[in-house]
Amino acid sequence: MDVLFACRGAWDTPDRSGDPVDLHDHGLQTAALLRRSHPFDKELQVAGLVHDLGHLLFPGDDAGHADHAAAALRPLLGARVARLVRLHVPAKRYLAAVEPERTLSPQSALTLRAQGGVMGEAEVGAFAADPDGEAAVILRQADDAGKVVGLDAGEMEDWRPVLELVAARAYERTA
């Protein structure tokens, strides 16, 4: 929770030239969208809440932020949350390939190239076959939509019970 609270006033780019909301509001908005669309998938919701923590942990590393976050989160929140967090960048690349008319935020369009660019045909096939691919696309769509200045998406503290539930389940799987 301390790391999530530290996202208030932290941005996806060190110079604040990126997305229009801080990591705190972006995580809350993304998670709230996922709660509405997938109310029973707590791991997906939590992945939405924490997916951009890599920007806080390693400022300026757009290409590696998802991998950094996934590595940090896996021991606490489990393999699926970490995998969805890691896949939210490939999901952007996938969507850019299969929906080329889809509009990205200016910052997402800018970082797409650093993150590997639009997927090629073989990558698209592999991603589409991934068992977590569909959930990663859902996370990515919420990620893209969760960048609204002034939107009240609730309080971070409201997510504590959900985080505790997901963490307890992850612990049970490894115990």
Side-chain angles (χ1 to χ4, degrees):
M1 289 303 295
D2 290 342
V3 173
L4 290 171
F5 284 118
C7 289
R8 184 171 294 288
W11 300 82
D12 59 338
T13 57
D15 65 0
R16 291 188 55 176
S17 64
D19 288 324
V21 295
D22 67 11
L23 296 174
H24 176 272
D25 289 350
H26 176 55
L28 284 173
Q29 289 180 26
T30 303
L33 289 166
L34 292 166
R35 179 183 277 170
R36 282 187 214 114
S37 66
H38 292 78
F40 301 108
D41 193 341
K42 302 303 183 198
E43 290 172 328
L44 178 61
Q45 295 167 27
V46 167
L49 187 66
V50 301
H51 74 280
D52 272 347
L53 284 181
H55 288 300
L56 181 72
L57 302 173
F58 293 89
D61 187 359
D62 289 323
H65 81 280
D67 291 333
H68 294 307
L73 294 165
R74 183 183 175 96
L76 180 61
L77 298 174
R80 182 165 181 255
V81 170
R83 183 152 169 69
L84 292 173
V85 167
R86 188 180 66 71
L87 287 175
H88 88 274
V89 169
K92 174 170 76 171
R93 298 180 58 230
Y94 170 82
L95 285 168
V98 300
E99 297 178 11
E101 70 288 349
R102 191 169 193 273
T103 303
L104 293 171
S105 73
Q107 182 64 18
S108 287
L110 182 68
T111 59
L112 178 62
R113 186 173 188 179
Q115 295 166 338
V118 176
M119 280 187 175
E121 191 175 323
E123 288 177 295
V124 166
F127 187 89
D130 188 306
D132 289 319
E134 183 179 343
V137 166
I138 292 165
L139 170 58
R140 182 73 223 182
Q141 290 166 331
D143 178 9
D144 290 339
K147 300 175 182 182
V148 180
V149 175
L151 179 68
D152 181 3
E155 299 293 326
M156 191 62 73
E157 189 61 36
D158 294 342
W159 285 94
R160 184 181 296 273
V162 180
L163 285 162
E164 290 173 349
L165 174 70
V166 169
R169 288 180 184 166
Y171 177 77
E172 288 171 5
R173 289 184 190 126
T174 60

